[in-house]
Amino acid sequence: MQPQTSQMGRYEVIKTIGRGSQGRVYLARDPKLERDVAIKILTSGKAEFNLTGANGTPLEALTSSKVKHANIVPIYDIGEGSIGPFLVFGFVQGKTLAVHLSNVQKLSPEDAFPMMNIILDAMKTAHDSGVLHLDLSPRNIMLDANGEPQIMDFGLSQFVDFRRTDMTLATGTLRYMAPEHFLRQQLGPFTDVFALASTFYEMLLGERAINGANVEEMQRKIAGVDIDLDKLSTLPGSEEYVKFFNGAFTVDPSDRYADAGEMYKAFQVMVSALGLGDSLRNDASSHSTVDFLIRKMQRKKDFPAISSTLTDINRLTSDENVAPADQLANVILRDMSLTSKLLKMANSGFYGGRASKVTKISQAVVLLGAPQVRLISSSLILFGSMKSDSAVLKDSMTKSFFAGLLARHLCVKEKLKNAEEAFIAGMCHHLGQNLTIYYFPDEHDDIESLRKERGLDSITACQEVLGVTYADLGANVAAIWSLPEIIVDTIRGLPTEGPIAAPTDEAETIRNLSVLCNELCDAFIERELDDITETLSALTARYALSTKISDEYLYKLFAAGYEKLSQFAPVFEINVGSSEFCSAVSAWTTQRGKELAALAEANAESAATATG
């Protein structure tokens, strides 16, 4: 159902994305800050749901604004419209934990524990701030583009100071409500503890802690905490799980963990006893660090401009949108450099020759199609924006562009329907590293020093200096820019050792080949010329289940890629002659070409001798 108005204050309403007991939620656009937001209109008929503070501010806004955590959806603004007050929240692109569980049924402890760790850390922050949630359930936990949980909807927290007198007001999600909701008892942090335990139970077992044929039966089971913990016996170390849940599933709140902080400590004890501490990976801390780094980048004058253009282009060309050509063209025309380069690309042989020259951006959009425009524009914006005198950055960006060319070529070879996406996917695999070189050059120097002086791999060195990996930083920025999910997955990468499993669909094939091409290009860095061929062969063998590449084809792939790179170097302002990476590729293709020619000649002579 669409709202009666397409405008709420300065916000442009796009579509309805949800509704609940307190009101509807809409996806909207903030034209001032150029970002998507979620707007909740408080339409509940119950006056208690619309309580306000002394200054008239909705209490949900007051409570939500008190909590600052990377995994709690922030509130940006409040307003008053023709159909009532509304709240403006951050928009999380993703799916709810409830939807995720309906698809996968249950999670392994290794997958569930990091998620549970983050949720508990976030709720600990809320409780420390004096704020309750009171409606925690899988449907109020979003999984963002990176699969990290984001807690939303603190709408019932306004009831923290009220004792239930009317059972009709017990309006949290019934299956996750604590006994005190129905026993006319005071609510508190321990109330959220019960809901958290119910959610975790469902994540681990794939079934709800509270079941019943009707509302009355469920209320009776909740009031008596009729929950079957024997089902935990299917999990290895089940006694540790039972011990943990026993501290949350009690009728008397005084026997329960007092708040999320206590529950968090008990959770750590359980995970340690199960020997699964490594599975947590300190995700909550990593997310906060990424958030900090992104905020630092956002203070640089060019980052907001990059973000704005990239986000708008990807928003207008997503699978859910079919924007008019002139609307997309107007976004591109805001950047004259992008406009000029896009027209050059449209008229090049890379995307097919044209009978007549393309002179207008709207014409290019129609001829190339929105998906192609998105890919070309994204690559041009990245190259055009991250300019500096740093030879390291120029070489790294050139290597990324080359990897994109190779990835596109391999995906065309495999006859993939969306092969063109491999170009930007391959080019963005090292986005986090390139962003670090550009925005944090001193930190990048420190990372390289650790690699060379202490022999650390890039992942370990990056974590020591930045607190996160290049992949985490790049994937989060890609999500901010609304880049397609396949690109975010490519940035996150694959295991660094052992054979790569066979892809199960086209998206995984594109990801695998894009990562492979980056690893192939990385082989030209800090290696002697005579060692490169062996390294490349080992890499192609590692990805043998994704594509078959012979030594001869590998040579032709790099030779063709180098020719294509030289062709488009002027458009992307790449100086092939001064690039160490390009020099290494040129030297290897020259040497390898001679080796293969000599081998072919020797084989021909051998064959002639045998037939003679």
Side-chain angles (χ1 to χ4, degrees):
M1 178 177 178
Q2 286 296 107
Q4 295 178 347
T5 175
S6 61
Q7 197 81 19
M8 294 186 201
R10 73 168 187 259
Y11 304 98
E12 301 165 356
V13 178
I14 299 173
K15 62 181 179 180
T16 303
I17 55 176
R19 62 178 299 173
S21 58
Q22 300 157 269
R24 287 193 175 88
V25 183
Y26 302 98
L27 171 64
R29 184 70 176 167
D30 182 348
K32 184 177 181 180
L33 297 178
E34 299 186 323
R35 64 185 178 189
D36 289 338
V37 297
I39 294 182
K40 177 193 283 188
I41 301 177
L42 302 176
T43 58
S44 170
K46 294 185 176 68
E48 290 88 347
F49 283 133
N50 295 325
L51 291 175
T52 59
N55 63 353
T57 301
L59 283 184
E60 179 174 3
L62 293 175
T63 55
S64 298
S65 64
K66 287 175 65 177
V67 186
K68 305 295 182 183
H69 191 280
N71 296 93
I72 292 178
V73 178
I75 185 166
Y76 292 148
D77 194 9
I78 58 175
E80 184 76 31
S82 58
I83 53 179
F86 61 84
L87 309 176
V88 183
F89 294 91
F91 173 66
V92 180
Q93 181 72 49
K95 57 188 174 184
T96 65
L97 177 58
V99 170
H100 183 59
L101 290 175
S102 70
N103 293 331
V104 302
Q105 301 304 315
K106 64 180 179 180
L107 304 176
S108 68
E110 290 79 8
D111 288 335
F113 283 3
M115 206 175 290
M116 291 158 66
N117 193 55
I118 291 175
I119 293 169
L120 280 170
D121 184 76
M123 283 309 302
K124 177 181 178 298
T125 298
H127 287 174
D128 288 346
S129 301
V131 173
L132 312 185
H133 190 289
L134 301 183
D135 192 19
L136 282 165
S137 72
R139 71 179 181 83
N140 280 333
I141 297 172
M142 289 290 294
L143 300 182
D144 64 18
N146 300 312
E148 288 203 15
Q150 303 282 335
I151 301 174
M152 60 181 184
D153 202 348
F154 275 76
L156 293 182
S157 60
Q158 59 192 275
F159 290 107
V160 63
D161 294 327
F162 294 85
R163 184 180 301 272
R164 300 290 189 203
T165 56
D166 182 349
M167 290 305 97
T168 63
L169 293 182
T171 52
T173 306
L174 182 60
R175 297 179 188 274
Y176 307 89
M177 295 172 69
E180 52 268 28
H181 279 283
F182 307 103
L183 299 177
R184 301 179 184 276
Q185 296 173 347
Q186 188 70 36
L187 308 183
F190 42 78
T191 306
D192 284 337
V193 164
F194 193 96
L196 286 167
S198 298
T199 299
F200 295 166
Y201 182 100
E202 186 172 339
M203 291 166 67
L204 291 166
L205 295 179
E207 55 184 280
R208 297 184 177 103
I210 298 292
N211 286 295
N214 50 51
V215 172
E216 290 74 18
E217 184 179 355
M218 282 192 285
Q219 287 183 355
R220 179 183 57 77
K221 286 190 173 184
I222 291 171
V225 189
D226 184 5
I227 297 173
D228 188 359
L229 295 185
D230 289 341
K231 292 183 177 180
L232 294 167
S233 62
T234 60
L235 300 172
S238 58
E239 63 279 2
E240 297 298 334
Y241 291 97
V242 172
K243 189 186 305 181
F244 171 74
F245 281 107
N246 273 335
F249 287 141
T250 68
V251 175
D252 189 342
S254 64
D255 294 331
R256 216 176 292 159
Y257 302 121
D259 55 25
E262 277 198 16
M263 192 177 189
Y264 179 82
K265 292 176 183 176
F267 176 72
Q268 305 302 319
V269 171
M270 178 187 69
V271 173
S272 178
L274 291 169
L276 295 173
D278 289 343
S279 69
L280 300 186
R281 302 190 312 274
N282 200 22
D283 282 354
S285 174
S286 294
H287 191 92
S288 297
T289 303
V290 168
D291 220 35
F292 170 75
L293 292 173
I294 291 175
R295 285 198 300 271
K296 287 188 68 174
M297 288 190 290
Q298 287 171 335
R299 287 197 290 268
K300 305 293 178 68
K301 62 180 181 180
D302 50 358
F303 189 89
I306 300 174
S307 297
S308 172
T309 306
L310 274 173
T311 301
D312 285 345
I313 288 175
N314 282 289
R315 176 174 56 84
L316 292 172
T317 57
S318 70
D319 292 337
E320 299 173 356
N321 286 310
V322 184
D326 58 346
Q327 191 175 353
L328 180 56
N330 287 336
V331 173
I332 296 170
L333 287 168
R334 295 190 320 217
D335 186 329
M336 293 308 298
S337 176
L338 172 61
T339 299
S340 174
K341 292 175 182 177
L342 182 60
L343 288 175
K344 288 181 181 179
M345 287 290 286
N347 287 298
S348 72
F350 190 65
Y351 287 96
R354 305 292 175 189
S356 58
K357 188 175 181 180
V358 179
T359 58
K360 296 180 179 180
I361 288 297
S362 57
Q363 185 183 8
V365 171
V366 172
L367 290 173
L368 296 176
Q372 291 291 354
V373 170
R374 181 192 72 213
L375 299 176
I376 301 171
S377 298
S378 296
S379 57
L380 288 170
I381 291 168
L382 288 175
F383 264 84
S385 301
M386 283 197 279
K387 289 181 180 178
S388 82
D389 294 330
S390 168
V392 174
L393 178 62
K394 291 177 180 177
D395 219 38
S396 185
M397 293 291 287
T398 299
K399 179 164 65 72
S400 292
F401 181 74
F402 193 84
L405 292 174
L406 298 188
R408 174 182 179 271
H409 192 95
L410 282 185
C411 287
V412 169
K413 166 181 169 286
E414 296 294 330
K415 299 179 180 177
L416 300 182
K417 179 181 177 182
N418 297 310
E420 296 298 343
E421 286 206 348
F423 173 55
I424 186 66
M427 199 186 75
C428 283
H429 176 62
H430 284 315
L431 177 62
Q433 182 175 7
N434 290 332
L435 288 169
T436 301
I437 298 172
Y438 183 60
Y439 287 104
F440 312 113
D442 293 338
E443 286 81 353
H444 179 262
D445 289 344
D446 291 340
I447 291 169
E448 291 302 298
S449 294
L450 285 177
R451 286 184 58 246
K452 295 172 183 176
E453 295 171 8
R454 290 170 48 187
L456 300 181
D457 58 77
S458 293
I459 294 176
T460 304
C462 191
Q463 285 176 321
E464 282 205 18
V465 175
L466 292 179
V468 295
T469 65
Y470 286 139
D472 284 336
L473 178 60
N476 276 274
V477 171
I480 289 174
W481 288 342
S482 300
L483 293 177
E485 186 176 350
I486 177 59
I487 294 173
V488 176
D489 286 344
T490 302
I491 293 172
R492 290 215 169 275
L494 293 164
T496 57
E497 296 180 359
I500 299 301
T504 59
D505 55 27
E506 179 171 310
E508 286 190 3
T509 303
I510 292 174
R511 178 201 62 192
N512 290 6
L513 297 185
S514 297
V515 176
L516 165 62
C517 289
N518 275 273
E519 292 186 13
L520 292 172
C521 290
D522 290 342
F524 288 83
I525 305 300
E526 299 176 0
R527 283 185 175 85
E528 296 296 330
L529 183 61
D530 293 338
D531 298 331
I532 292 177
T533 298
E534 184 179 351
T535 302
L536 297 181
S537 295
L539 285 170
T540 56
R542 201 164 88 88
Y543 285 81
L545 296 177
S546 298
T547 186
K548 300 293 184 183
I549 303 178
S550 66
D551 288 345
E552 184 176 0
Y553 184 84
L554 191 61
Y555 157 73
K556 291 180 179 179
L557 176 68
F558 270 88
Y562 187 82
E563 181 180 348
K564 190 69 70 174
L565 175 70
S566 300
Q567 178 183 351
F568 294 110
V571 178
F572 287 87
E573 299 177 5
I574 296 173
N575 190 331
V576 175
S578 64
S579 167
E580 291 186 10
F581 169 75
C582 290
S583 297
V585 171
S586 178
W588 179 79
T589 52
T590 299
Q591 175 177 295
R592 190 59 180 154
K594 292 177 180 179
E595 291 172 352
L596 290 172
L599 181 62
E601 185 177 347
N603 289 337
E605 290 178 359
S606 177
T609 301
T611 56

